[in-house]
């Protein structure tokens, strides 16, 4: 799997996601609201991208397959953090995390949850999680997770097109109906760039049937998906090298079985961090699923991210 090669990419316009026939079961009850009683936590600096103060957190699973879908993407440029994740068939999906203080009007197209999403979101604490459904075996795990599950089954009014693909969500309506808790730090450190680093204007990472690339435009990064311009404005790009292994569930798509894959987001490993047109080799660590992911330089100091949106590329 080629996960670290250089390519020339153009910056550009909004991307869309084509809907492939991944079988989903619209369901999943909303997780219990566990934010506690009494006064709400005091607002602090936004721990997701260091812009403004912390607002209630919302996570959304977003489709990302094919030119048609990529042409109708909404809300990716406004996300505080975007994860690029492998799914069955070597394809990819996005998991985007938003802070309520700067939400887009619409987000999507929204697709189904995966097993990977549960431990990945655990580091954020209790969040609203919007998705279009899930394979039946995953539903009990989603119900037990510390999530407010927002689906067409539980909240049909917040999905467009009566939740028929392609469907989008209005994040303002979700957070008005189901306020979560202020975003919790996923472990990132923000600040001035460290010394060193290698000049790196463009980079592409590949999965068996998908790719994502970035190009530095002089201030932030333009993102391209499968070679097509997607969005601009990303301040920090992280290529986090992880284990991707067979998941617990098998989906039957178009009459044949597809084994869902599971991205292991706990433990430790290598990562490249790109900011300001330069690249640093780091080590990521997340021993506790309930804790954030830290990124350290070879001398043991924290790798500082640039203030602004973060793209997390999860690759082997």
């Amino acid at each position: 799997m080629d996960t670290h090669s250089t390519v020339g990419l153009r910056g550009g316009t909004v991307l869309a996601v084509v809907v492939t026939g991944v079988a989903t079961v619209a369901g999943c009850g909303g997780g219990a609201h566990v934010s506690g009683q009494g006064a709400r936590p005091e607002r602090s600096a936004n721990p997701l991208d260091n812009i403004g103060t912390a607002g209630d957190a919302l996570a959304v699973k977003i489709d990302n397959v094919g030119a048609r879908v990529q042409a109708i993407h909404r809300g990716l440029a406004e996300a505080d953090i975007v994860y690029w994740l492998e799914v069955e068939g070597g394809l990819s999906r996005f998991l985007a995390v938003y802070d309520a203080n700067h939400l887009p009007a619409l987000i999507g197209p929204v697709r189904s949850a995966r097993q990977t999403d549960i431990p990945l979101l655990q580091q954020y604490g209790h969040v609203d999680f919007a998705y279009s459904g899930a394979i039946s075996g995953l539903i009990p795990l989603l119900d037990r997770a510390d999530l407010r599950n927002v689906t067409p089954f539980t909240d049909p009014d917040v999905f467009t097109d009566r939740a028929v693909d392609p469907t989008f969500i209005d994040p303002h309506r979700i957070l008005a109906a189901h306020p979560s808790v202020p975003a919790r730090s996923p472990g990132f450190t923000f600040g001035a760039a460290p010394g060193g680093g290698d000049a790196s204007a463009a980079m592409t990472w590949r999965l068996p049937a998908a790719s994502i690339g970035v190009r530095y435009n002089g201030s932030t990064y333009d993102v391209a998906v499968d070679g097509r311009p997607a969005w601009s404005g990303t301040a920090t790009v992280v290529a986090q090298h992880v284990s991707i292994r067979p998941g617990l569930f098998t989906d039957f798509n178009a009459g044949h079985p597809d084994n869902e894959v599971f991205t292991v987001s706990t433990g430790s490993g290598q990562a490249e961090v790109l900011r300001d047109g330069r690249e640093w080799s780091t080590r990521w660590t997340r021993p506790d699923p309930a804790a954030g992911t830290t990124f350290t330089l070879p001398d043991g100091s924290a790798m500082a991210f640039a203030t602004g949106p973060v793209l997390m590329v999860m690759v082997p």
Side-chain angles (χ1 to χ4, degrees), residues 172-299:
H172 299 86
R173 294 180 66 181
I174 290 176
L175 289 172
H178 306 294
S180 57
V181 295
R184 191 169 78 184
S185 174
F188 302 162
T189 297
F190 296 92
D198 298 319
S200 180
M203 194 73 69
T204 291
W205 299 269
R206 303 183 189 280
L207 297 172
S211 68
I212 192 167
V214 298
R215 174 175 285 279
Y216 187 60
N217 61 25
S219 58
T220 61
Y221 290 87
D222 302 323
V223 181
V225 178
D226 298 335
R228 304 180 186 95
W231 74 90
S232 299
T234 295
T236 303
V237 181
V238 180
Q240 183 176 343
H241 297 283
V242 294
S243 173
I244 300 176
R245 63 194 189 200
L248 294 176
F249 309 106
T250 298
D251 206 353
F252 288 86
N253 177 20
H256 62 82
D258 281 323
N259 181 254
E260 293 192 351
V261 300
F262 178 69
T263 295
V264 180
S265 57
T266 55
S268 62
Q270 298 302 307
E272 292 80 50
V273 177
L274 284 68
R275 57 168 293 179
D276 308 313
R278 302 190 71 80
E279 174 187 346
W280 285 262
S281 294
T282 70
R283 184 166 184 80
W284 69 267
T285 304
R286 185 184 168 212
D288 180 356
T293 308
T294 60
F295 295 85
T296 55
L297 293 161
D299 65 3

